[in-house]
Every structure is written in C-alpha cells, then in structure tokens.
Amino acid sequence: MNKVLKGLVAVAATAAMAVAGFAGASTAMADTVNVTVPDSTKLANHSYTAYQILSGTQAESGGALGDAEWGNGINSAAFLKALKADSTIGTYFTDVTDGKGFAEALSNTTNFPADGANTRLVAKIAMKNKTGDGTVLTGGSTTQLATGYYVIVDTTAGSQTVYNPAVLAITSDITIKDKTDVPTLEKKVQENTKSFESSEEYANGFNDVADYNIGDFVPFLLIGSVPDMSQYETYTYKFTDTFDKGFDAVDTSYVKVYLSDDKKVDSTKDTDITRYFTGENGEITYTPANGDNKATLTVSTKDLKKAATYKNDQKQYVLVSYFAKLNASAEIGLPGNVNKADLTYSNKPDQSGSGDSDNTGTTPEDKVIVFTYGLDTTKVDAANPNTKLTGAEFKLQNAANKWATIANGKITGWVDNKDDGSVLQSGADGRFKVEGLDDSKYTLVETKAPAGYNLPTNGFSVVLTATTNNGQTWDGTPATALTGITATVDNGTAQNGDTSTGLVGITIANTKGSSLPSTGGMGTVLLYVAGIAVFVLAGATLVMALRRRNA
C-alpha cells in the first residue's frame, strides 16, 4: 500500500497545473504542513481556497500519504458518481467505493500520467464536486493545513488570473507558485507606402502606426494567444474593437479568423476557423456609433475549444483580419484616428465547466493609430510673391498616375482618367486646400492659368513626408506617434507643417505672359496669315527678278 501511495503523491505533485506547485519541500514528518503564498507582485493580492479531497498522515519519509480517507472538502458520493459516469476515465473507477480505492486508481501512472489530460480531468471533476467553505490562503502569508490531498483554487475577486484548479498532494511544506495562463491581445495596423520598422515577429508592415489617404481601405489585425483551456467544457473568447469616427462601417463578410503558429496571416498554412465565430458557434457583428458610444466590431466564439487546442511547447494564436475605410470625418493630423481593442475570455469555470459571460476576464486595451494629412497651397506671382493669384485651376495626380476626386476640400478617391479628376481652384487669397493625403509623392497639374499669366508646361512635383513612430512599442499618446510633417515642391526647400492640423503650406508661382496674344487667340491667327503673306510676296518678287535677269 505504501508503494501505491508513493506513486499517488508523485502523480499529484506534478499535476499541480494551474495556480500552485511545490517549492522547497521539507522532509519533516508531521500531520500538519505550512502552505505559503509569497508576497510577490503577482500573488500578494491573491487569495486561494484549498478544498480537501483526501485526508491522511505522512506514513514515512519520501512523502507518502498513509491512511487515506475522504476529506471534508469533497462531496465523495457525487464525486465518485461523476468519475464513473465520465466517458473518458469512468472505467478506471468502476470498482472504487472509498477514498483508499480512489487513491489506488489514481496511482496508476499509465492511466493517469503526471500532468496528463486524464489527471487534469480528475481535477476538473473534483472542482465541480467540492463542498464547504474550504481553507482560505491569503497572499503574503503562511497557513497550516492538515496533510492530505487538495483542490486549490485562485478565488481573487476581479483578478485577470485564470481560476483553474490544481490537484495537489500536501505532505510537506510548500510555497504556492503563480502558474496562471491567460490569453494576450495585440492589435496591429499595416503601413502601405512609407518605410516602417521591420520585424520578424509580425507580418510585413504591421505595426502600431500608419498613414493613409481618405477613401483607402486600411488593413487591421487582431492577435490573441490560445490559453490553457483544460479545466473548461466550453471557453468564451471575444474580441471587441472600437473605432474613431474616421472609419466607415466594417463589412463583416470580409472578416477572417485564422488559427496560426505565429503572428502572421498566411492563408496557405494557417487554418481558417471563421466558421467557429459565426452562426451557432459565435458571431461577427459591427455596431454603429450611437451618441457617446463609439462604433464597435465584435468577433466572438462561445467555445474556442472547438477551434483550437492548447500546446504547452508551442504558442498558437487566433488572428482576426479585416479592413476599415478611412472616411471624410477622419482627423487631419493630430490627434489622429485611433482604434483600440480588448479580448474577453473565460477565467472561472462554473460547476458545469462552462466559462460563460459571468465568469470572464478582459485583457488590457491595445491601440493603433492612423494619420492622414493635407496641403495648403498658395498661388503667387513669380516676380512678386506678395501678389496672390486667383482663378488658377489644378488637378492632383498621385504616384500611381491616378487622379484625385475631391469633395469639400477632401479626397474621396482616385480615378484613371484625368478628365474625371476634380478641379482645385485658387481663391481670392490665392489659396486652395486638399486634405486626406497619405505620406507620398504627388503632382499638381495646372490646367488653367490666371488671366495674364502663362500656363506651365509641366506639373509641380510635391513630396509630402511625415515623421511617425512606425514600430511595435507605441505608448498610446498621439503626439509621440506623429512628430513632424514637411513638403517639398520640385526639389525646393522643404516647408514645415503643423502636426496639430496635419497641413503643410506650399507656394506655387506663375510668370506673367508676353505682349503677344495668348495661344489660340484671334491675334495669333492674324499673325500667321500676315507671316504667310510676307513669305509669298517675297517669293514672287524673287521669281520676277530672276526672269528679268534671264531676259
């Protein structure tokens, strides 16, 4: 019997799988032992409750538990009934009638390997059938417990700790170790045109900061880690993404959810698990803004266990990929357009093993930010820059040779044909603005010059440059994400813009026309006719002179 109980102790000791473990076990033989919860950052404010499954004595050195009987923290009849009824492990307890028989059955390391799935299942069933108030183990203190076999549960109110139970044989002094496993959440946005900080951990361009044109579809990525779900029958897992007013509604039909071994979406190797977040399994829902409530996208499943399996030796991630369109309500420059997300997850299995909405924790929020900018252009006389020119007309071309469509001074999109592009016209002060531009190169093509001025042959090349913190460690403060903005016209001196407005002022000059009538006017036609007449007259005179000489 002692050998059997030694085996039980060994299995139980290594099966402390969630919130407790051995540390510095003593060799003293006693019927009471000291259980210490360290005064550490993680554990000082935690409370644990110990429920006794088996009582007994330490029969001899080596940690064996002798005289095993049912403890005062378990409903033994219900516990045994549940064990025998379980489809996975029930056959191993068919002949068990008492605590001694339970200990002998569990000591079979073939059926119940240390920290194996079957051993964890026993712990979960014990958790469902615990009884009484248990013994509270307070953070930063030491409590005496009778030697025995316990389920220990983290019962900290409002904690982000997982409340999974641990089965633990206590036959010597131990120290509780924090072995919590909660999911983590990261949110990323993909930069499209400018340089960004490369990272092997994330997909190309995905970081915390990006800039776009109004009208662009911005790619976003939510990254949630897969936690240990062994103590749950079902596991709630819900992403909530909150949008600033600068983004249009998300088309939920294009939201995709993947199970991946890393933080990069790769449809050729990742598993598409979107179906577990729709229909009877979950939901993908976009809720428009309403009053003080911002628009939200929720991507949730009632049971992540259907889609993912926790792997101790390899991290896995749930990746949510989607697009949101930057619209005309977007902030130009600071404070930018912020998206923030969090992840709600099961953290306390109820008596049925379900991690429902009343037994959940939430990760800290993670933010990303998207910027867009503008040009404040002034048309002047080349000889006298103080003279502002009205009536000049322009069209804006991007680096992809597409033409801007503009409404109320803001970009709405880009078209292939120049004739379909919108006209920008300088006002009485010589100015015109265009807002909603990405960090990129553009060309302002003058299509009509002010009266009395020449129409430039070529367009004006404008390079708009923003200094942004394109990395993985943005602190969440908009001013640290955008620190500068400049623009250069035709390789000239860069003009500094205002990050608070997102605008950069540039100047474009026109030269006055000559005294000759403008191209295409009636005066030009008359000059052409006069010139031809002079040429013909000169030719006729030359022919007549030659004839006279020959005569």
Side-chain angles (χ1 to χ4, degrees), residues 87-109:
S87 60
T88 302
I89 60 175
T91 56
Y92 304 137
F93 298 98
T94 301
D95 299 325
V96 173
T97 58
D98 55 18
K100 178 181 177 182
F102 165 71
E104 290 177 343
L106 196 63
S107 68
N108 186 326
T109 56

Side-chain angles (χ1 to χ4, degrees), residues 328-352:
S329 297
E331 296 283 354
I332 310 300
L334 291 172
N337 304 279
V338 176
N339 281 58
K340 56 185 179 181
D342 59 40
L343 175 62
T344 301
Y345 56 89
S346 295
N347 74 342
K348 186 178 182 181
D350 62 18
Q351 295 302 305
S352 67

Side-chain angles (χ1 to χ4, degrees), residues 12 20 24 26 92-93 118 122 143 183 231 237 304 317 327 351 443 445 458 480:
S26 80
Y92 304 137
F93 298 98
N118 287 348
V122 171
T143 304
Q231 299 303 313
Y237 200 82
L304 185 64
Y317 301 92
N327 65 35
Q351 295 302 305
T443 302
V445 178
N458 299 315
T480 64

Side-chain angles (χ1 to χ4, degrees), residues 324-452:
K325 185 178 180 180
L326 196 64
N327 65 35
S329 297
E331 296 283 354
I332 310 300
L334 291 172
N337 304 279
V338 176
N339 281 58
K340 56 185 179 181
D342 59 40
L343 175 62
T344 301
Y345 56 89
S346 295
N347 74 342
K348 186 178 182 181
D350 62 18
Q351 295 302 305
S352 67
S354 171
D356 57 27
S357 59
D358 295 326
N359 298 293
T360 56
T362 302
T363 65
E365 290 180 339
D366 195 23
K367 299 178 182 179
V368 298
I369 191 167
V370 176
F371 291 106
T372 190
Y373 317 105
L375 294 173
D376 186 356
T377 306
T378 304
K379 187 70 170 175
V380 300
D381 186 310
N384 183 9
N386 291 324
T387 300
K388 308 300 188 292
L389 304 181
T390 185
E393 294 183 357
F394 293 84
K395 291 194 175 185
L396 182 66
Q397 186 181 35
N398 66 14
N401 297 321
K402 294 184 179 294
W403 300 88
T405 57
I406 301 165
N408 299 318
K410 293 186 177 182
I411 297 291
T412 58
W414 301 88
V415 294
D416 293 327
N417 297 322
K418 180 180 178 181
D419 291 343
D420 296 329
S422 298
V423 174
L424 295 161
Q425 187 177 60
S426 60
D429 58 357
R431 295 172 61 191
F432 63 89
K433 293 181 183 178
V434 56
E435 297 179 328
L437 295 175
D438 197 353
D439 171 304
S440 188
K441 182 178 180 179
Y442 302 92
T443 302
L444 278 167
V445 178
E446 192 166 349
T447 57
K448 179 182 177 182

Side-chain angles (χ1 to χ4, degrees), residues 25-298:
S26 80
T27 58
M29 297 179 65
D31 290 335
T32 60
V33 294
N34 294 319
V35 180
T36 302
V37 181
D39 186 12
S40 65
T41 303
K42 287 186 176 181
L43 300 179
N45 297 319
H46 281 239
S47 294
Y48 295 88
T49 302
Y51 298 90
Q52 189 185 59
I53 299 175
L54 290 177
S55 66
T57 59
Q58 187 174 357
E60 58 183 67
S61 61
L65 183 67
D67 301 325
E69 296 179 354
W70 290 120
N72 57 20
I74 193 76
N75 182 334
S76 59
F79 180 43
L80 265 182
K81 182 178 179 181
L83 287 173
K84 294 178 180 182
D86 188 87
S87 60
T88 302
I89 60 175
T91 56
Y92 304 137
F93 298 98
T94 301
D95 299 325
V96 173
T97 58
D98 55 18
K100 178 181 177 182
F102 165 71
E104 290 177 343
L106 196 63
S107 68
N108 186 326
T109 56
T110 300
N111 298 333
F112 299 98
D115 200 25
N118 287 348
T119 307
R120 294 195 298 269
L121 183 53
V122 171
K124 182 171 66 175
I125 295 173
M127 174 66 180
K128 295 177 184 178
N129 293 283
K130 64 184 181 359
T131 187
D133 296 329
T135 302
V136 175
L137 312 174
T138 305
S141 66
T142 298
T143 304
Q144 281 195 335
L145 289 180
T147 54
Y149 195 23
Y150 290 80
V151 166
I152 297 179
V153 186
D154 185 338
T155 50
T156 311
S159 172
Q160 289 188 19
T161 301
V162 172
Y163 292 77
N164 287 350
V167 176
L168 178 66
I170 300 179
T171 55
S172 56
D173 292 350
I174 65 166
T175 298
I176 300 294
K177 293 181 180 179
D178 181 60
K179 294 179 62 179
T180 61
D181 181 34
V182 299
T184 59
L185 181 280
E186 294 178 88
K187 181 174 175 62
K188 299 297 175 183
V189 61
Q190 188 174 32
E191 174 55 57
N192 59 341
T193 60
K194 67 185 297 180
S195 61
F196 48 81
E197 181 180 310
S198 61
S199 170
E200 292 184 359
E201 188 176 6
Y202 303 94
N204 193 29
F206 278 94
N207 71 123
D208 292 340
V209 182
D211 35 33
Y212 278 85
N213 294 296
I214 286 178
D216 285 348
F217 284 90
V218 181
F220 291 98
L221 185 65
L222 303 176
I223 307 170
S225 63
V226 176
D228 183 355
M229 301 175 285
S230 59
Q231 299 303 313
Y232 296 83
E233 294 290 346
T234 59
Y235 192 90
T236 298
Y237 200 82
K238 177 183 178 182
F239 296 94
T240 302
D241 203 347
T242 305
F243 297 83
D244 274 355
K245 62 182 179 180
F247 294 96
D248 281 348
V250 175
D251 187 341
T252 57
S253 63
Y254 289 98
V255 176
K256 293 293 183 182
V257 187
Y258 299 93
L259 182 64
S260 177
D261 290 337
D262 55 31
K263 299 178 181 180
K264 307 172 186 178
V265 172
D266 183 348
S267 58
T268 63
K269 67 180 183 66
D270 295 339
T271 303
D272 188 336
I273 58 172
T274 308
R275 65 185 183 277
Y276 297 107
F277 289 78
T278 56
E280 63 180 13
N281 297 309
E283 61 179 0
I284 300 175
T285 306
Y286 181 85
T287 304
N290 182 14
D292 294 333
N293 296 322
K294 293 187 176 182
T296 58
L297 171 70
T298 57

Side-chain angles (χ1 to χ4, degrees), residues 487-548:
T488 303
V489 181
D490 283 339
N491 300 318
T493 303
Q495 302 296 311
N496 291 322
D498 183 355
T499 56
S500 65
T501 64
L503 296 176
V504 187
I506 61 173
T507 300
I508 294 177
N510 270 60
T511 58
K512 285 187 175 181
S514 66
S515 58
L516 291 174
S518 62
T519 301
M522 182 56 70
T524 304
V525 175
L526 294 175
L527 284 175
Y528 288 158
V529 172
I532 293 172
V534 170
F535 180 76
V536 171
L537 180 60
T541 303
L542 178 60
V543 170
M544 292 175 65
L546 290 173
R547 284 180 178 178
R548 287 193 186 111

